[in-house]
């Protein structure tokens, strides 16, 4: 019994010693061994491999190594543009943490389990002849030399992406796409497929958030969407974003396989501040106000020109409520056209309207509408027509106006002599609007002979 009592403390002490030695060895492995294994001395070999794999000059500030998990740390990596592009970088990353598979290392293979990219900046540029600056059609590294397989997990923190085209002269063109404050988590990322234009593989999928995304002149904030990279295509699906005081939901896709990249998008809009939206476009400020909702579909090629999105086309249907068209002063101009001295409600609201509902078709830098229903103050309008968005702002609209407030006998008589008709005690008359947005020209229609005039339906 005495021997047992003595042996138990001895055994406990021995176990504590073993645990202590194991802890010391573990700490040594974690802190001392990585310091003794100076992976930075292999930096030139890593640079040489990456240059052969990408076909571009690569810069690396420093390489480091930590255990548990086994992770390579790359500080300040930069990948430069190939010679046919202007000087600069395709990508710069402040820090990359690459976790390696221990099982693969035991078999003398390098398999990256996960990547974390901190503060990456991508500058993507397309040449007029077709290639992008991130591509490498012909890798100089043999396929069996440190093969780069799909990476299970890629996380991006605080990213920035900018995309632009070169002009036919090879000078830098305008930026057509930007994404700021990118936060992204992707699965099964195939880096080799991304830089190889002949790849037909799925190159990754996951979820993306961006504090600010700008496409052309339009910008959205706090975007959240699914992201899929696939064989020269980029898909943003189930997008939700804040847009000019309202919200938007929809999808956006880019096709990078042709000489000109192309896109297509659909969006459902709610509560958009129209004044803010129009102010984003040249000469668009102050043209119209109100809250807009509706659905639109747009598509087009992204040209290598100073106006890369000039070829956009599409269609939609929108409603704008409680707004104004200051330059048109539609209510007042239409009533003056009918020779009213007393403008009634239009006197206080010469440019205001309650609601506009219209279809839209965008083609050849012109927005046309087949059916426009406008409820103004003192005037209701059914019309159709088009406006140029090429910079001339030319107007070509026609319609049938109805004076909603009943007038006196004398006013009605004068108006009818001027071409108006009296239905259910309300005056109706055809009209046309030409000129420009800033200088509209109102004129009378030709009554029944004006075959373009939209007939007011019975109420």
């Amino acid at each position: 019994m005495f021997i047992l009592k003595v042996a138990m403390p001895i055994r406990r002490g021995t176990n504590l010693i073993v645990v202590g030695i194991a802890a010391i060895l573990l700490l040594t492995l974690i802190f001392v061994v990585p310091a003794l294994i100076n992976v930075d001395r292999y930096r030139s070999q890593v640079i040489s491999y990456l240059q052969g794999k990408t076909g571009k000059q690569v810069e690396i500030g420093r390489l480091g190594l930590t255990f548990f998990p086994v992770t390579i740390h790359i500080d300040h990596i930069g990948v430069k543009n190939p010679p046919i592009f202007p000087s600069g970088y395709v990508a710069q990353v402040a820090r990359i943490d690459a976790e390696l598979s221990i099982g693969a290392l035991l078999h003398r293979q390098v398999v990256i389990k996960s990547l974390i990219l901190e503060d990456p900046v991508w500058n993507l540029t397309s040449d007029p002849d077709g290639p992008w600056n991130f591509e490498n059609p012909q890798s100089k590294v043999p396929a069996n030399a440190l093969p780069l397989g799909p990476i299970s997990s890629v996380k991006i923190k605080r990213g920035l992406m900018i995309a632009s085209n070169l002009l036919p002269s090879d000078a830098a063109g305008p930026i057509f796409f930007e994404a700021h404050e990118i936060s992204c988590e992707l699965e099964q990322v195939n880096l080799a497929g991304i830089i190889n234009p002949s790849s037909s593989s799925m190159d990754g999928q996951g979820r993306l958030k961006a504090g600010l995304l700008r496409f052309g002149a339009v910008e959205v904030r706090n975007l959240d969407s699914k992201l899929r990279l696939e064989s020269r295509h980029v898909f943003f699906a189930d997008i939700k974003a804040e847009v000019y005081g309202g919200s938007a939901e929809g999808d956006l896709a880019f096709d990078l396989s042709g000489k000109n990249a192309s896109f297509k998008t659909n969006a459902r809009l709610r509560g958009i501040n129209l004044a803010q939206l129009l102010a984003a476009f040249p000469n668009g400020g102050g043209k119209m106000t109100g809250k807009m909702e509706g659905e639109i579909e747009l598509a087009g090629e992204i040209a290598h020109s100073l106006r890369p999105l000039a070829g956009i086309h599409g269609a939609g249907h929108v409603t704008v409520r409680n707004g104004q068209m200051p330059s048109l002063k539609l209510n007042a101009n239409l009533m003056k056209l009918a020779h009213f001295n007393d403008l009634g409600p239009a006197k206080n609201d010469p440019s205001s309207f309650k609601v506009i509902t219209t279809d839209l078709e965008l083609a050849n830098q012109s927005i046309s509408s087949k059916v426009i229903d406008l409820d103004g103050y003192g005037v209701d309008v059914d019309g159709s027509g088009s406006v140029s968005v090429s910079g001339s702002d030319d107007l070509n609209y026609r319609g049938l106006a109805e004076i909603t407030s009943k007038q006196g006998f004398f006013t009605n008589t004068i108006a009818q002599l001027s071409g108006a008709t009296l239905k259910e005690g309300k005056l109706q008359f055809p009209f046309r609007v030409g000129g420009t947005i800033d200088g509209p020209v109102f004129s009378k229609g030709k009554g029944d002979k004006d075959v373009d005039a939209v007939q007011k339906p019975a109420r």
Side-chain angles (χ1 to χ4, degrees), residues 346-368:
K347 182 183 298 183
N348 296 324
D349 297 287
S351 61
S352 301
F353 58 86
K354 298 176 183 177
V355 60
I356 296 177
T357 300
T358 182
D359 64 293
L360 299 173
E361 183 174 352
L362 173 60
N364 301 318
Q365 300 187 58
S366 177
I367 298 177
S368 59

Side-chain angles (χ1 to χ4, degrees), residues 266-290:
N266 64 79
R268 296 172 296 280
L269 309 173
R270 295 185 185 89
I272 306 299
N273 186 315
L274 192 57
Q276 293 181 14
L277 173 61
L278 294 177
F281 295 88
N283 304 319
K287 298 297 189 294
M288 191 173 179
T289 67

Side-chain angles (χ1 to χ4, degrees), residues 98-99 111-117 148-155 186-192 203-204:
E99 180 185 344
V111 175
I112 301 175
K113 292 177 62 177
S114 68
L115 278 181
I116 298 177
L117 285 70
L148 191 61
I151 301 171
S152 298
S153 172
V154 174
K155 294 183 179 180
L186 298 173
E187 299 175 350
Q188 298 301 314
V189 176
N190 181 12
L191 295 179
D203 296 330

Side-chain angles (χ1 to χ4, degrees), residues 295-316:
E295 298 182 358
I296 58 171
E297 294 184 1
L298 299 172
E301 288 193 342
I302 304 171
H304 292 80
S305 70
L306 292 174
R307 299 185 64 193
L309 300 178
I312 289 179
H313 55 86

Side-chain angles (χ1 to χ4, degrees), residues 399-439:
L400 189 69
E402 179 181 88
I403 309 304
T404 58
S405 57
K406 293 185 178 182
Q407 306 295 320
F409 173 79
F410 181 75
T411 302
N412 286 341
T413 301
I414 296 298
Q416 290 180 71
L417 291 175
S418 300
T421 59
L422 187 63
K423 290 187 178 180
E424 298 180 0
K426 296 180 181 180
L427 286 170
Q428 296 179 358
F429 60 93
F431 70 94
R432 289 181 176 268
V433 184
T436 65
I437 294 177
D438 289 327

Side-chain angles (χ1 to χ4, degrees), residues 202-225:
M202 166 77 77
D203 296 330
Q205 60 182 344
R207 195 150 202 98
L208 176 141
K209 295 182 179 181
L212 170 66
L213 187 145
R214 183 178 293 115
F215 183 46
V218 178
E219 65 179 41
V220 303
R221 296 184 179 275
N222 298 322
L223 177 139
D224 187 353
S225 78

Side-chain angles (χ1 to χ4, degrees), residues 249-263:
E249 298 179 357
D251 305 294
L252 172 64
F254 291 96
D255 181 351
L256 310 181
S257 60
K259 286 190 175 182
N260 285 341
S262 61
F263 80 96

Side-chain angles (χ1 to χ4, degrees), residues 311-422:
I312 289 179
H313 55 86
H317 192 277
V318 300
T319 299
V320 183
R321 302 180 189 279
N322 301 318
Q324 292 184 331
M325 293 181 287
S327 62
L328 286 181
K329 295 183 179 179
L330 187 66
N331 300 326
N333 278 309
L334 287 177
M335 296 186 79
K336 288 180 179 178
L337 196 64
H339 299 284
F340 291 139
N341 293 320
D342 181 9
L343 301 183
K347 182 183 298 183
N348 296 324
D349 297 287
S351 61
S352 301
F353 58 86
K354 298 176 183 177
V355 60
I356 296 177
T357 300
T358 182
D359 64 293
L360 299 173
E361 183 174 352
L362 173 60
N364 301 318
Q365 300 187 58
S366 177
I367 298 177
S368 59
S369 300
K370 295 179 180 178
V371 178
I372 304 171
D373 184 2
L374 182 150
D375 294 336
Y377 290 90
V379 177
D380 285 352
V381 172
D382 285 331
S384 61
S386 64
V387 57
S388 171
V389 292
S390 64
S392 64
D393 295 335
D394 289 338
L395 299 175
N396 182 18
Y397 285 93
R398 57 210 176 263
L400 189 69
E402 179 181 88
I403 309 304
T404 58
S405 57
K406 293 185 178 182
Q407 306 295 320
F409 173 79
F410 181 75
T411 302
N412 286 341
T413 301
I414 296 298
Q416 290 180 71
L417 291 175
S418 300
T421 59
L422 187 63

